[in-house]
Amino acid sequence: MSAGPSGRRKSKLKWSKLYTFSCLRPSSSDDHDAPLLGQPGFSRVVFCNDSHLHKIKPHKYPNNYVSTTKYNLITFLPRALFEQFRRVANLYFLLAAVLSVTPLAAYNAYSVIAPLVFVVGISMLKEAIEDWHRFLQDREVNSRKVRVHIGNGSYVEKSWELLLVGDLVKVSKNEYFPGDLLLLSSSYEDGLCYVETMNLDGETNLKAKRSLEATLSIDENSEFSKFKATIRCEDPNPSLYTFVGNLDLENESYPISPSQILLRDSKLRNTEYVYGVVIFTGPDTKAVRNSTRSPSKRSRVERKMDRVIYLLFAMMLLISFVSAIGSALFTESKEYKRWYLRLNDDIDTLFNPEEPMSSGLLQFVRALVLYGYLIPISLYVSIEIVKVLQAMLINKDVRMYDEATGKSVETRTSNLNEELGQVELILSDKTGTLTCNQMEFRKCSIEGISFGGEVTEVDLAASQRMNIDVERYRFSLDGSDSTGRSVEMFDLSTADPSTEKDVLGKIENSRTSYPIIKGFNFRDDRLEDRMWIYKSNVVDTMMFFRVMALCHTGIPVDENKSDKTKYEAESPEEVAFLIAAQEFGFKFCQRTQSTMVLQELDPSSGLEVKREYKLLNLLEFNSSRKRMSVIVGNEDGEIFLFCKGADDVIFDRLADDGRTYQLATTMHLSRYGEDGLRTMVFAYKKVEVSEYEKWSSVFMKAKANIGPEREELLEAASEMIEKDLYLLGAVAVEDKLQKGVPECIDKLVQAGLKIWLLTGDKKETAINIGYSCSLLRHDMKQLHLCLSKESQTNQQMKVKVIKEEIMRQLQSFYTLITEENRSESPFALILDGKALELSLSGDVKKHFFSVAMNCDVVICCRVSPKQKALITRMLKQHSGKTILAIGDGANDVGMIQEADIGVGISGMEGMQAVMASDFSLPQFRFLERLLIVHGHWCYKRISKMILYFVYKNIAFGLTLFYYNAFTGFSGQDLYDDWYMVMFNVILTSLPVISLGVLEQDVSSDVCLKFPGLYREGQSNICFSWKRIIGWISNGILTSLTIFTLSIYMLCPSAFDKGGDLADIEHIGAITYTCIIWTVNCQIALMISHFTWISHFLIWGSILSWYIFLFLYGMLPLAYSNNVFHIFNEQIGPAPIYWIVTLFVVVVSLLPYYMHIVVQRSFFPLDDHIIQEMKSSGTDVSDTPMWLREQEKSKQLAQVGYSARVDAKIRHLKDQLHRKGKSISSSFTNSPLYRTTKGRDR
């Protein structure tokens, strides 16, 4: 390292000299793309270091401000009002408010307008608050700092939002790129840098980027003041993997490829700093182009609620029409001539008894306003309030607080609370969502012997239920444990539980008796603590560790002075290998351009010695090669090729005498894969000097070639040397799952949810994670939908032919699925991005979704952000299911926004997913509680709440219709205007809020023990049309009962001691009292979980009616009008008032009470059964019955941790049975058995 004049240190390591293939070189297509520049779509011009030129036209581009909000100051009022009046009830009440200021109004204008303004105002306030929170999070991102060149070699920190096209910026290690940049130079002399693109494409491997040769020299602050250049390139577009452009510098033009482009939201890694010039900012960046605007989402329940409102509106039109016809008929009859009606006195200017038809029409309009209380205007605002309170309770749930990060769940929009209880399909990202993006070295196979024998969670659960030590049992079955150690086996029927506990106790104790080393979770006494030096064949073991310590692209990092060295590498797997090699005594110490230094453990002396290896060549890993090799020379002049890669690739390149351990290694690889571990095979060969020199000349010629055939020549050269290898063994690393992921998925599957895994990673990695989190199991039929090798390599093959190939595969899959026994043969569909793209086009998508929806698991690999959003949108359209998408990176934003519910993981990789989400979680495992507990509760609460609103408004509103019919359809209102206002605002609104916020059919613990309860929401049992019609019928029956009994109990007899009859004010007040009592007692019957708040609000609402009636009657006559002293002097002292109230309420509630008795006795739902068991103490007194009910959910699940354990047990029992038969057969065929049998005869 050398220090420059400015004090910066530049690394002398030239990585570009080590790389062989084209990951750092412009593709040959650049020359063909050059003529496109200046044409439509390729017209962008960037003036480097002259950003002021981009403030004016014609080259004015957007600034770097990015917004995820729904509104701004200008659009808030019109858009928010539009959102509110999309609701049919609000639209109706707007019409009613207009009519209330006309002579047609049945009530005072204030009694109609005030509730509408209140309801719409509260809803708009809620929208404003939620959007304000989005704005604050946007500001947090836009306020990030970046160093910008301001001239004369000086830099100043600016906020991201102030960045302009053409600015020169300096980005340091572990910082995000603020825009799409052209890489000019880096801390490495050859302009190389490493970029983590996990936020964009989900891939964990670091990408190597390299600047143009022409800009390598621009690496000092003083030189940037002189730097002037022009970039001509493509216009903004969402393609993450392509870029067309030229850099015009000093009268020379240099083609730019994607290898020089640093995209916004990717992160600089393993590089101290880079310099770049901004090409795209803000909405023009590829990351933002891959996202979509925040959509306005409405839950399925709310959309159905609109249809219920339409039904009520139709009912209101019907009774208004009946009222109009009745009014016309009454006017035509002789009844209107009764003198006391005074119909000809012109009291009502709109009523003309001489024209009954026109009067009937006007009566229809008046009836629309009069019967408006059938439409629950306060329903929307009550739901808004309830959802906000529900969101507050969700946010305060301490069981969803992550102590490690200090973060908790956040409800970013409360509109979708009840939708959480109806999710049927989960689309999940992998990296950062299910995994921690941390690799741990877990197991290895050396010389055909497996090491690292710690059992997995699945094996541990199987051993607990079978009373055997599964790991030792597996060793005995595959015969791979050649150490001669004893194998403990227990009979399944006679195993002593105490023995089982001893075995499991040893397993558990072994987990906690070792020190924790990040990246190294390996436990085996045969290799640890230098015990491997006592092996019989120590040479191959040393070679195995040398492959691990030398075949990589890692760099030692001296961040501290401890004995343990830290490393940085392109992939987290390589870091795990280096840490493991260090633990085994092969410490990688230093790397230069041509040498690698190891501190090795010498088995002969037991001492650590430093050995220097000359690095001759590095053949790097890529997706087509699936292997990596290094060629090194040791201090004795010997040359070795060390190779690691995928098992099928390495096995094809083994020498005939190098396959000694292949059979055992293959068996171990299969077992590691079932455990969800990533595997890689190690091999080596000794290369003779003459062979190497001959190969090196061929290789150097291929490397020097600059033509289009360069890649083919290099691949052919590598094939020459990477053959006749000697197999050493295999390694297994774990892409560490987040805590509790398998258990969470298990509960979600038992709750009836299907899970699709969408990842940008390769297929092998996705499958391993599928096993790790128990989405896959060993006996599952995997259907691989992919293009043939010919289709992938032949670019000229017609799309139609490839589609036909995909169609044939899908048809064969569908036939297989329909013919198999699904209970015994679960299916998993696995496909990559190319196959997915074709599957979602034209007629193929119908067949694709038919297959996918019949599979238990779907895993999509190599999926782009656009494809994630596309499959989410099309899956919603095709399936009609409620879809939840969960992810943590910018590449998941489109998927999160397209889904019915979007959940962002507030992890380590930025906040893009969180800002686009509806809910954010600190860890995936909290999704279990969010859905199964809070989703279940919110769905049932909102459903009950809406049904109750429909019931109470029908019960109240129809009494007005009955009275209107009773009075000759006169349009007369039964109740005082203030009664009408108070009904929805005070007297019945608070108990329903307590129902919506505090109701629990079962406790949270019971929800988690019985995840099958969640299926009620998926089936929409609580808000089905059957139940809606039932509650409408209950409301009609209640209103009819209340009105009929009130009228016919009060009219025939004297009301008070003086013999006076009840007048309209008395009948109205008494009928209203019966309604208040009935609807509040009805909600008491609906509530399963009472709190003191519920009691206070229910009985307090009834009490508040009496207080209101008393105070209202005490007002001066000018204000109280006809109800002056009505309670304390008129109805209060009358015994019949109290008798009628009691009798009417009991009779009105009797039908519902009989209904719930019959339902719970003969047709109980799952929650009814569990409630009865809890209330009777069966969960304590009859534990087997309680556990049996819990098992019902597991029986329906084909995937998940529990299903995988059951499958493992069946597999082990089958193996045990077959082995027992084999032992029995061997014994009966033995000479000893025959001799003994002959003697018995």
Side-chain angles (χ1 to χ4, degrees), residues 930-1096:
L930 181 66
L931 296 184
I932 297 177
V933 176
H934 291 287
H936 174 73
W937 282 348
C938 290
Y939 164 71
K940 299 203 76 171
R941 289 165 176 170
I942 296 295
S943 299
K944 282 186 174 183
M945 185 177 172
I946 297 171
L947 294 174
Y948 174 73
F949 256 103
V950 171
Y951 160 81
K952 77 180 181 70
N953 277 64
I954 288 178
F956 177 60
L958 285 183
T959 58
L960 296 168
F961 171 68
Y962 301 145
Y963 182 75
N964 202 19
F966 190 71
T967 58
F969 299 100
S970 61
Q972 176 69 43
D973 52 335
L974 176 60
Y975 308 116
D976 183 88
D977 286 356
W978 276 105
Y979 295 179
M980 309 293 282
V981 173
M982 293 294 291
F983 180 77
N984 280 322
V985 175
I986 300 293
L987 301 179
T988 61
S989 60
L990 297 180
V992 77
I993 289 177
S994 74
L995 170 72
V997 177
L998 303 174
E999 169 66 346
Q1000 299 177 13
D1001 56 340
V1002 292
S1003 67
S1004 61
D1005 292 337
V1006 172
C1007 283
L1008 295 173
K1009 288 179 181 177
F1010 296 89
L1013 291 174
Y1014 187 83
R1015 296 174 187 264
E1016 292 182 1
Q1018 295 170 334
S1019 304
N1020 203 16
I1021 290 175
C1022 298
F1023 201 57
S1024 62
W1025 279 112
K1026 178 181 177 182
R1027 189 159 297 196
I1028 292 168
I1029 299 301
W1031 276 98
I1032 290 176
S1033 303
N1034 188 25
I1036 294 172
L1037 183 59
T1038 299
S1039 64
L1040 192 59
T1041 302
I1042 292 174
F1043 180 79
T1044 304
L1045 291 178
S1046 299
I1047 290 293
Y1048 287 100
M1049 289 181 71
L1050 292 172
C1051 288
S1053 57
F1055 179 73
D1056 55 21
K1057 294 179 181 180
D1060 297 325
L1061 294 176
D1063 62 13
I1064 184 173
E1065 300 300 337
H1066 296 149
I1067 292 175
I1070 295 172
T1071 305
Y1072 194 89
T1073 302
C1074 293
I1075 291 174
I1076 295 299
W1077 267 98
T1078 301
V1079 297
N1080 280 289
C1081 289
Q1082 175 67 68
I1083 202 171
L1085 290 175
M1086 295 174 65
I1087 291 177
S1088 303
H1089 176 68
F1090 272 99
T1091 65
W1092 69 267
I1093 298 175
S1094 306
H1095 282 292
F1096 175 77

Side-chain angles (χ1 to χ4, degrees), residues 787 791 797-806 838:
L787 275 64
S791 302
M797 184 175 288
K798 294 183 178 180
V799 175
K800 183 178 179 181
V801 176
I802 301 176
K803 282 187 178 180
E804 290 175 354
E805 176 189 339
I806 294 292
L838 293 170

Side-chain angles (χ1 to χ4, degrees), residues 462-470 488-504 1216:
S463 67
Q464 288 174 327
R465 287 174 51 184
M466 293 181 64
N467 293 337
I468 65 171
D469 186 340
V470 173
E488 300 177 26
M489 288 291 298
F490 308 108
D491 184 80
L492 293 179
S493 59
T494 60
D496 182 7
S498 63
T499 309
E500 173 200 353
K501 291 179 181 179
D502 290 341
V503 173
L504 297 177
L1216 183 63

Side-chain angles (χ1 to χ4, degrees), residues 392-411:
M392 292 173 62
L393 291 180
I394 293 173
N395 294 344
K396 297 296 183 182
D397 189 342
V398 294
R399 296 190 184 181
M400 290 195 288
Y401 174 78
D402 184 35
E403 294 183 356
T405 60
K407 296 179 180 179
S408 182
V409 63
E410 181 186 0
T411 306

Side-chain angles (χ1 to χ4, degrees), residues 62-124:
N63 60 26
N64 204 36
Y65 182 83
V66 173
S67 173
T68 61
T69 58
K70 289 184 182 179
Y71 313 104
N72 57 39
L73 289 175
I74 298 174
T75 63
F76 174 73
L77 191 60
R79 286 193 63 187
L81 284 173
F82 172 76
E83 290 292 328
Q84 295 307 311
F85 289 108
R86 282 171 61 188
R87 297 168 171 173
V88 64
N90 288 350
L91 195 60
Y92 162 72
F93 278 102
L94 178 63
L95 175 63
V98 173
L99 292 175
S100 68
V101 298
T102 68
L104 291 171
Y107 310 111
N108 292 331
Y110 66 82
S111 65
V112 180
I113 297 175
L116 177 65
V117 172
F118 178 75
V119 167
V120 173
I122 291 293
S123 299
M124 290 177 64

Side-chain angles (χ1 to χ4, degrees), residues 500-539:
E500 173 200 353
K501 291 179 181 179
D502 290 341
V503 173
L504 297 177
K506 291 177 182 177
I507 296 171
E508 290 294 337
N509 291 335
S510 68
R511 294 183 171 193
T512 58
S513 59
Y514 290 86
I516 297 175
I517 301 172
K518 185 176 181 180
F520 185 76
N521 190 10
F522 179 88
R523 307 290 177 261
D524 198 311
D525 294 337
R526 293 172 292 171
L527 287 187
E528 291 187 290
D529 298 325
R530 306 184 179 186
M531 295 301 293
W532 61 267
I533 65 176
Y534 302 109
K535 291 184 63 177
S536 57
N537 188 3
V538 74
V539 175

Side-chain angles (χ1 to χ4, degrees), residues 473 1211-1223:
Y473 170 57
H1211 175 67
L1212 293 175
K1213 283 183 177 180
D1214 181 62
Q1215 283 187 307
L1216 183 63
H1217 178 69
R1218 282 190 278 117
K1219 186 165 185 177
K1221 288 179 65 177
S1222 175
I1223 294 173

